[in-house]
Amino acid sequence: AQKTFGMGVISPEELARFCELLQALLSGDNARRKESERVYQETKRCDPDRLCRCLATVLTQAKDDTLRQQSAVLLRQCVKFNRCDFVWPQVATESQSEIKAQLEYALQHERIRRTRHKICDVVSMLACHVLDPTSSSFATGWPTLSSVLSSLLGAADGTHRESSLRIVKDMLGLNPPVVQALVSSKMPSILRAACADDSTFVRKEALLLFMTGLEHLQPSEWEPLKCLMPSMLDVVKQFERSEDELRECLEAFVQVVDISPSAFQQHLDKIVPMMLTISLARAHLADGVRQMAFEFLTALCEKKAKLCGKYPDFIREMVSLCMEFMLELEDDDNWADGDASDSWTVDVSNYDVGEENIDRFAQALGAEVVLSHVFTNVRHYVNQPGWKHKYVAIMTLSQCAETVQEETHVDEIIQLLISLLSDEHPRVRFAALHAIGQTSTDHSPYLQETHSDIVLPALMRLMDDPVVRVASHGCAAFVNFAEDLENELLLPRVPALMTKLCRKMVSPVRIAREQAITAVAVIAGVIETNFVPYYQQVVPVLKQIVLSATRKEERALRGKAFECMSLLGLAVGRDVFKPDAQEAMQVMMETARKGLEADDPQKSYIHEAAQRICRALHEDFLPYLVYLLPGIYKTLQLQPSQVVDPDAEDEEEDMTIDFLEDGTAVGLKTIQIEDFRSALQLLACFLEVLGGYYFDHVRETAHHMLPALHFRFSEDVKREAILAWQELINAAKSGQKQRSLPDDGLVADLLRVYLQRTLETMRVEEDLETLQCQTVGTAACLKAAGPNTMTPNEVQHLCIELRRLIEESTQRQWRATQGGGLDEDELAEAEEHRDADQLLRVKYAELVGTIMELYKGHFLSVGLEQFIPVIQECLKSTDSSSDHCMAFYLADDMIDKLGADSVPVWPVFMQQILHSIRHRDAWVRQAAIYGVLHAAPLGDFAQFADGAAKLLSQVISQPETRREGSREALEAATAALGRLCKWQASSIAGVNDHLVLFLDNLPLEEDLDQAGPTHELLMQFVQEGHALLQEQLGKVLRVFLEVYNRETSSEALNFFIRRLFVQAGGEQLKEMQPPFSQKHRKRIEKILRDARK
């Protein structure tokens, strides 16, 4: 049946012409389709009223279902309020009423289900725009909609009932307040009736509506719906053999668990078994559906780890499920073909899902509880016949390697993997190599120092495996293992390795060449100038590869050749490398100039190689800047494009979208953002390496780089820009110094514009990590610019901005304490957020400290007054640990940076610092202890020294301070006690007892800020010939064995340690009691070898 509507009726002739236009839009003829698109867009721009009426008329009068569907799609675009071509407001009021009536008519009379769905999409989109839930006359936007929906819901036809629920569901996802105003009180009864409906489609739509409510409503708003969860789970069970409906339902579950995981916590006893059953239903469900159920369980565990960990057998079941999925690994007849590794399929396999999820479970639940089940399953799997069980066991260990904490477990894993390298099946050998490579990365340098004598020979043997792909993976595993290997452990094996690898570099199999090239590069990086004898043997091969590897499938091979040449350059040095560097740069620049496809791996290889060549050549790289900088600047001028429909899948795909103040959207593709970031990384490298030699380009670079400081599409890009800007300031300052130029204000200008842009973005920034990066970057820029760059007014302005940021953080902390009724997982999440904010506060305080250090006079006159009230206000709080921390952070920096000039303000905070040394909260304890640490060298602290030393010793001696989460505070106490023993010995009773306690708690490993200085403090005690430490020489040597050549040492300390062990002599070392462990004996051998060098 057709109906004629009121004003502005479209004539049959016009309707026919419009239908022809719609048909042309669907034409396979490109020319016809493009012309029709032009006509359509022109009509939309010039006469949107008539266009919308034509589209609505097609919905009710066209006989062709394809045209009705297309008209619904196009009409939805016209009424979609967040599209840039939204035209509904330009449609006359009379026409709007007519279109609404036609939509209602179409809802009641359309018989094709797919077309009905598209009509529902139009209705829900339009309703969300025209209905205003904040207005007292809510319904005037569409007065008849409520009655139409009610009529559909009560209709005898199930498709009508489905349509009503579908419209409400879509509206709820688009604009929840509209639905709340429309059907709020009726929702539970609507859903309850729909769950029992005879129609499968109605029951499915009811579940999707319920899930949409959980996703988009606040917990207090969906509280009345919680009681319906059991009924909804029953609906899912009814679909366990209806794949399409089940997939839609599970997709909704996965959406909800990411946003409102607490909605499921009262129903784990039903949900977990149901999802497990679906996940394991290999016989009658497709992989995609099973993977969706598995994803729900994994995501639930990530969000509610503590809750899931308490569910009976949950961890055991999940580990088994992961490994069961991995066992569904496909046999591949072409697997052994080395170059077959490039033929990836688009679909994610069940093996891939299981492998990824075992890692996610380990990260969420913690290593201890997951690894026990992993080890149990692995022991069972490796003893099963056939290769798949062994393969899965090995790859599971590889995925979990990062979470293994006990060194004895690492030893067991390596022994197992070495034994499996001899397995008869090539895929088992491949997996064992893969796991060795992963474990080498995750447990460096322990693995290299402890097991190189068995791992290196095994890897070299597997490089000659008869199966090309295994042999190539032997090279890959070697790369991971050797990257952190000591020079002297690798050197004896280099001749044999280079013989193998040079042969592989000319292999006819591409993957063999690729892995061999990378292995050669790693060897060069480890043995450095010792690689010079092999240089002329390798470089001609690399040049030949660059010239000949021009096919698409050889792009990665060519990129690896660029990478290897640049790494060789770093290893052998500028003099040897310079002639070849010129050839390499010319070829790379020519390759880039011709243009590279978005997915071409050469792009990243060339960018990274250019940075290494710059580092190898230093100022000899300058001539290349004139060719490189224009391209970099062009990339930095990249502008976002307007996004027509931010919700469309084709728009969202591979694009980051941002909404402007006017509601329109703009976006950049991921590859464009990556190019932007790479350009900044190149600049940062050039600036860092060339320093003052870059001076001629500083101003132009600053101009092009400035917008990146508030880049809206990527936090990573902002971070790269901040890092590059501090190098820019360094380059400007160094250039002026090199050329003996007068100060023309360039450095001050660079700092000023950085502060303006960065402080502007920090005012609206919400991401705590980005704020932290901006704060650290600001401190670095201040240090790069140096003192006397800012005026007193600028220092005052910066202090005022910092005070505001600190007060913002205080408000965030206060709001975080107001939420009650949190479960264990929510409390843990809140604790993580609080810790992130506390770390940000530390960085704020450090920035204040940088201002004190560089502008001490200005700070005392105009800055101190900003922060004393902050300290006082924070210390007033009786129950806020975070506020006390903030007060102590600021006080610590005042003591450290202002020194004796801080003494007049000690009465504001010193007693509270001493009182808080034994505070129950580890953050507060650590912050208070730092105050003592910084005050220890000051003479005015003598009056507090004895009491502080006793408190610190009590903290160190308490067992609870050694628990997880308290370790850094314990190490801070150890460092502070050592400094008191050094600087305030005459004021401390029983100082030697305190010194023994200090020694017993070394080395420091967690508090990296204080570890190095504290170990150097121990060195000073020994150098001064402290009698007590002479008596405790065995302990002292064990500390130095642990810190030698680690990040907690320094060049000066390493030199001292070598000299100390040489002086101790081999005989004395052998007689030490208790005897040194095997691990320590190996470290002694290394130290003595280094000393001989």
Side-chain angles (χ1 to χ4, degrees):
Q2 293 185 350
K3 178 179 178 181
T4 301
F5 292 85
M7 292 181 62
V9 173
I10 304 299
S11 69
E13 294 78 10
E14 185 174 1
L15 180 61
R17 288 196 302 273
F18 190 74
C19 286
E20 287 179 10
L21 177 65
L22 294 181
Q23 286 170 335
L25 288 171
L26 300 172
S27 173
D29 183 329
N30 284 341
R32 184 184 177 207
R33 189 177 65 252
K34 286 183 178 179
E35 174 59 20
S36 63
E37 287 173 352
R38 186 194 65 77
V39 173
Y40 178 84
Q41 292 299 333
E42 183 68 14
T43 306
K44 189 173 186 178
R45 186 177 64 84
C46 297
D47 196 353
D49 183 286
R50 196 157 198 83
L51 176 68
C52 290
R53 285 191 290 109
C54 283
L55 290 169
T57 303
V58 171
L59 273 181
T60 57
Q61 297 189 27
K63 294 181 180 180
D64 186 334
D65 175 53
T66 302
L67 294 184
R68 295 201 305 278
Q69 285 190 30
Q70 191 193 18
S71 69
V73 171
L74 295 174
L75 184 57
R76 183 176 183 271
Q77 292 176 2
C78 291
V79 302
K80 189 174 185 187
F81 44 85
N82 64 345
R83 282 178 63 97
C84 68
D85 56 353
F86 174 49
V87 298
W88 181 255
Q90 300 170 48
V91 177
T93 304
E94 296 83 354
S95 299
Q96 290 182 354
S97 299
E98 178 186 321
I99 291 167
K100 292 172 191 173
Q102 287 176 304
L103 287 170
E104 292 174 2
Y105 180 86
L107 276 176
Q108 293 163 341
H109 295 88
E110 178 60 57
R111 308 310 303 168
I112 305 298
R113 186 163 174 267
R114 181 176 174 82
T115 307
R116 289 187 63 83
H117 286 175
K118 296 191 179 301
I119 295 168
C120 290
D121 293 343
V122 183
V123 172
S124 57
M125 182 61 67
L126 181 57
C128 283
H129 174 66
V130 299
L131 296 176
D132 182 4
T134 63
S135 171
S136 56
S137 54
F138 165 71
T140 55
W142 197 335
T144 55
L145 180 62
S146 181
S147 61
V148 169
L149 292 177
S150 296
S151 173
L152 291 171
L153 191 60
D157 189 335
T159 59
H160 284 190
R161 300 195 298 277
E162 178 198 12
S163 294
S164 180
L165 294 173
R166 186 182 183 93
I167 290 169
V168 174
K169 176 202 71 181
D170 289 344
M171 289 170 63
L172 188 57
L174 292 165
N175 195 340
V178 170
V179 176
Q180 287 290 82
L182 197 65
V183 295
S184 175
S185 60
K186 304 172 189 174
M187 185 75 80
S189 59
I190 290 172
L191 288 171
R192 194 173 290 109
C195 281
D197 199 282
D198 293 337
S199 167
T200 296
F201 298 131
V202 172
R203 295 198 302 275
K204 182 200 73 176
E205 211 60 55
L207 182 136
L208 297 179
L209 172 56
F210 174 77
M211 287 293 168
T212 304
L214 297 183
E215 182 180 357
H216 292 281
L217 297 176
Q218 295 298 317
S220 59
E221 293 173 326
W222 53 254
E223 183 69 26
L225 306 179
K226 284 173 63 176
C227 61
L228 296 175
M229 181 66 82
S231 301
M232 296 299 164
L233 297 178
D234 290 338
V235 170
V236 178
K237 287 182 179 179
Q238 295 165 18
F239 296 147
E240 283 186 355
R241 291 184 179 271
S242 303
E243 200 163 287
D244 291 339
E245 286 74 23
L246 183 58
R247 179 183 284 105
E248 279 193 73
C249 293
L250 292 177
E251 286 173 354
F253 269 80
V254 171
Q255 284 281 99
V256 172
V257 77
D258 191 50
I259 294 169
S260 303
S262 57
F264 302 106
Q265 65 185 41
Q266 301 300 322
H267 306 280
L268 289 192
D269 57 331
K270 291 187 177 180
I271 292 178
V272 172
M274 181 182 77
M275 293 295 182
L276 269 172
T277 299
I278 296 171
S279 299
L280 292 168
R282 188 176 182 180
H284 63 272
L285 287 177
D287 289 349
V289 176
R290 295 172 56 213
Q291 291 172 12
M292 195 68 67
F294 196 4
E295 174 60 27
F296 173 84
L297 290 169
T298 311
L300 179 66
C301 181
E302 288 176 326
K303 291 291 184 177
K304 295 288 180 184
K306 295 185 183 297
L307 179 68
C308 290
K310 293 178 180 177
Y311 183 83
D313 290 330
F314 182 86
I315 302 172
R316 180 179 63 80
E317 294 273 18
M318 292 303 106
V319 171
S320 297
L321 182 58
C322 288
M323 297 180 76
E324 287 286 336
F325 261 60
M326 291 172 72
L327 276 176
E328 296 181 36
L329 182 66
E330 299 283 337
D331 283 302
D332 183 357
D333 294 337
N334 298 319
W335 180 88
D337 179 6
D339 289 346
S341 60
D342 288 342
S343 56
W344 302 108
T345 55
V346 175
D347 293 336
V348 176
S349 71
N350 286 346
Y351 172 85
D352 297 327
V353 172
E355 185 179 50
E356 179 187 354
N357 285 356
I358 191 70
D359 181 53
R360 290 169 66 186
F361 281 119
Q363 296 289 343
L365 293 163
E368 291 183 13
V369 293
V370 173
L371 285 177
S372 61
H373 295 285
V374 167
F375 291 152
T376 299
N377 282 23
V378 165
R379 292 186 190 101
H380 174 68
Y381 271 46
V382 294
N383 291 311
Q384 297 301 302
W387 67 272
K388 286 190 179 181
H389 280 83
K390 292 177 184 175
Y391 185 93
V392 168
I394 296 167
M395 297 305 281
T396 301
L397 284 177
S398 179
Q399 281 296 95
C400 297
E402 183 183 2
T403 61
V404 176
Q405 296 175 345
E406 296 293 331
E407 290 181 350
T408 53
H409 287 160
V410 177
D411 298 339
E412 291 173 25
I413 289 171
I414 286 298
Q415 294 295 338
L416 173 64
L417 295 176
I418 293 293
S419 69
L420 290 169
L421 287 176
S422 301
D423 193 89
E424 62 182 15
H425 200 285
R427 295 191 72 168
V428 174
R429 299 196 299 276
F430 178 93
L433 287 167
H434 184 90
I436 288 172
Q438 186 62 55
T439 310
S440 299
T441 299
D442 292 333
H443 294 279
S444 170
Y446 171 77
L447 196 62
Q448 286 81 351
E449 291 178 352
T450 312
H451 294 291
S452 65
D453 54 340
I454 60 170
V455 173
L456 271 178
L459 295 181
M460 292 176 68
R461 175 170 58 84
L462 267 290
M463 287 181 186
D464 294 324
D465 194 278
V467 176
V468 171
R469 193 163 177 188
V470 176
S472 299
H473 218 55
C475 292
F478 168 80
V479 165
N480 286 34
F481 185 80
E483 279 180 324
D484 292 320
L485 199 59
E486 292 289 343
N487 184 313
E488 63 271 11
L489 294 175
L490 183 59
L491 267 176
R493 302 185 187 272
V494 169
L497 278 166
M498 288 303 299
T499 300
K500 290 176 186 285
L501 294 172
C502 286
R503 189 172 62 246
K504 289 178 179 293
M505 286 176 68
V506 294
S507 165
V509 181
R510 175 166 40 84
I511 192 172
R513 281 181 287 166
E514 289 177 2
Q515 299 295 359
I517 287 170
T518 305
V520 168
V522 167
I523 291 173
V526 172
I527 68 172
E528 296 178 329
T529 54
N530 288 300
F531 191 84
V532 171
Y534 305 98
Y535 180 79
Q536 293 302 335
Q537 183 181 358
V538 172
V539 168
V541 178
L542 296 175
K543 290 180 180 179
Q544 183 58 39
I545 290 172
V546 168
L547 291 173
S548 61
T550 55
R551 293 179 297 169
K552 185 172 183 177
E553 61 270 23
E554 292 178 319
R555 295 180 304 183
L557 173 63
R558 197 165 188 252
K560 285 180 179 289
F562 289 138
E563 175 187 56
C564 187
M565 287 188 73
S566 64
L567 286 164
L568 295 187
L570 281 175
V572 301
R574 169 167 47 179
D575 295 339
V576 175
F577 180 55
K578 188 175 179 180
D580 298 309
Q582 184 174 356
E583 287 186 52
M585 285 300 300
Q586 286 175 344
V587 175
M588 290 194 300
M589 288 189 295
E590 179 63 20
T591 302
R593 187 187 63 78
K594 289 179 179 178
L596 297 169
E597 295 179 12
D599 63 345
D600 193 332
Q602 290 183 96
K603 187 185 296 184
S604 61
Y605 281 120
I606 288 172
H607 278 187
E608 290 169 10
Q611 292 177 56
R612 293 191 200 97
I613 292 173
C614 176
R615 293 184 186 282
L617 298 184
H618 299 285
E619 67 270 20
D620 289 340
F621 188 82
L622 271 173
Y624 300 110
L625 289 184
V626 68
Y627 303 105
L628 294 170
L629 289 179
I632 293 173
Y633 293 155
K634 184 178 178 182
T635 300
L636 294 181
Q637 290 168 358
L638 187 67
Q639 294 297 316
S641 56
Q642 189 174 51
V643 177
V644 176
D645 184 352
D647 299 324
E649 289 186 11
D650 58 337
E651 295 279 17
E652 289 181 343
E653 185 180 359
D654 199 33
M655 178 171 272
T656 300
I657 294 172
D658 190 47
F659 289 92
L660 305 179
E661 290 182 4
D662 62 1
T664 58
V666 292
L668 284 176
K669 291 183 178 179
T670 302
I671 190 65
Q672 293 175 309
I673 295 173
E674 289 173 357
D675 288 346
F676 201 102
R677 186 181 181 190
S678 294
L680 288 171
Q681 288 172 334
L682 280 169
L683 283 178
C685 174
F686 299 161
L687 286 160
E688 177 197 345
V689 174
L690 298 174
Y693 294 104
Y694 193 91
F695 184 79
D696 291 334
H697 307 283
V698 164
R699 291 185 186 275
E700 187 179 13
T701 299
H703 169 73
H704 289 288
M705 204 163 67
L706 187 59
L709 290 173
H710 53 90
F711 190 77
R712 63 195 316 147
F713 298 97
S714 168
E715 301 301 330
D716 289 336
V717 166
K718 270 195 240 180
R719 295 184 186 110
E720 296 291 350
I722 291 167
L723 292 172
W725 201 274
Q726 66 196 57
E727 296 298 342
L728 192 69
I729 294 174
N730 277 323
K733 193 170 183 182
S734 298
Q736 288 179 335
K737 185 176 180 181
Q738 282 178 8
R739 303 181 185 198
S740 301
L741 296 174
D743 184 4
D744 62 352
L746 174 60
V747 172
D749 288 343
L750 290 173
L751 178 62
R752 188 174 297 113
V753 73
Y754 169 85
L755 290 174
Q756 288 171 349
R757 288 297 178 96
T758 302
L759 292 174
E760 181 182 311
T761 58
M762 289 178 79
R763 291 187 193 109
V764 295
E765 182 60 64
E766 295 180 355
D767 183 79
L768 298 185
E769 285 188 17
T770 301
L771 280 169
Q772 186 183 144
C773 180
Q774 290 168 323
T775 305
V776 172
T778 300
C781 286
L782 287 175
K783 291 175 183 176
N788 306 318
T789 311
M790 296 171 67
T791 66
N793 284 342
E794 288 171 331
V795 169
Q796 184 179 39
H797 176 68
L798 180 55
C799 289
I800 290 171
E801 286 292 322
L802 271 172
R803 178 176 177 175
R804 183 190 58 76
L805 288 166
I806 291 169
E807 288 171 347
E808 265 185 20
S809 175
T810 301
Q811 287 300 311
R812 278 197 303 271
Q813 295 277 339
W814 180 83
R815 287 194 297 270
T817 64
Q818 300 309 297
L822 302 179
D823 62 30
E824 280 187 276
D825 290 290
E826 289 164 338
L827 285 170
E829 185 178 351
E831 187 74 14
E832 282 183 18
H833 192 273
R834 174 220 177 198
D835 287 352
D837 216 342
Q838 283 295 91
L839 190 55
L840 175 59
R841 289 175 145 206
V842 171
K843 300 306 176 186
Y844 285 157
E846 288 176 355
L847 176 52
V848 176
T850 300
I851 300 170
M852 296 179 201
E853 184 177 14
L854 295 171
Y855 299 96
K856 186 175 179 179
H858 294 346
F859 184 85
L860 287 169
S861 61
V862 299
L864 187 62
E865 63 191 27
Q866 295 297 327
F867 298 106
I868 291 298
V870 174
I871 294 174
Q872 291 171 323
E873 191 63 31
C874 286
L875 290 178
K876 280 182 186 176
S877 176
T878 56
D879 58 352
S880 175
S881 296
S882 61
D883 285 349
H884 285 192
C885 281
M886 188 68 246
F888 293 155
Y889 296 153
L890 291 170
D892 295 345
D893 275 306
M894 287 178 185
I895 298 168
D896 183 31
K897 307 300 183 185
L898 302 180
D901 287 321
S902 70
V903 174
V905 295
W906 281 13
V908 175
F909 50 72
M910 187 57 76
Q911 286 301 328
Q912 288 93 329
I913 281 178
L914 297 171
H915 180 72
S916 298
I917 288 174
R918 295 187 61 190
H919 198 280
R920 66 184 182 280
D921 186 286
W923 282 92
V924 177
R925 201 159 58 243
Q926 184 180 5
I929 289 167
Y930 269 136
V932 175
L933 184 147
H934 294 312
L938 300 176
D940 290 274
F941 195 71
Q943 57 186 311
F944 307 111
D946 186 57
K950 289 176 182 175
L951 290 170
L952 291 170
S953 292
Q954 290 170 13
V955 168
I956 295 169
S957 302
Q958 289 172 345
E960 58 267 26
T961 61
R962 300 178 185 277
R963 293 175 186 158
E964 186 177 354
S966 298
R967 183 73 195 177
E968 286 193 19
L970 171 65
E971 292 194 355
T974 302
L977 186 61
R979 284 168 70 92
L980 282 176
C981 293
K982 168 70 174 172
W983 299 104
Q984 301 288 349
S986 61
S987 302
I988 300 173
V991 68
N992 280 352
D993 293 336
H994 295 302
L995 191 57
V996 170
L997 189 61
F998 164 71
L999 179 61
D1000 287 344
N1001 283 274
L1002 296 179
L1004 307 187
E1005 297 174 347
E1006 301 292 330
D1007 189 344
L1008 298 181
D1009 288 335
Q1010 294 304 320
T1014 302
H1015 298 148
E1016 289 190 341
L1017 178 64
L1018 178 62
M1019 174 183 74
Q1020 292 170 23
F1021 278 127
V1022 175
Q1023 287 173 326
E1024 292 166 2
H1026 199 290
L1028 178 65
L1029 295 185
Q1030 295 296 327
E1031 296 171 12
Q1032 303 282 335
L1033 184 60
K1035 288 183 180 179
V1036 171
L1037 293 177
R1038 282 176 171 80
V1039 172
F1040 287 148
L1041 282 172
E1042 291 294 331
V1043 305
Y1044 179 73
N1045 255 4
R1046 299 285 167 84
E1047 61 181 330
T1048 54
S1049 184
S1050 64
E1051 283 302 316
L1053 180 55
N1054 288 337
F1055 177 82
F1056 172 78
I1057 292 171
R1058 290 193 291 269
R1059 191 175 65 181
L1060 182 64
F1061 274 85
V1062 169
Q1063 289 173 349
E1067 291 304 317
Q1068 185 179 354
L1069 292 173
K1070 288 179 183 177
E1071 294 172 3
M1072 284 284 178
Q1073 293 298 325
F1076 289 112
S1077 66
Q1078 177 67 23
K1079 173 185 169 185
H1080 280 161
R1081 287 199 295 273
K1082 285 191 174 185
R1083 297 287 292 168
I1084 291 171
E1085 290 173 8
K1086 172 176 172 46
I1087 290 170
L1088 294 176
R1089 280 199 307 269
D1090 289 350
R1092 285 193 294 272
K1093 280 193 266 184

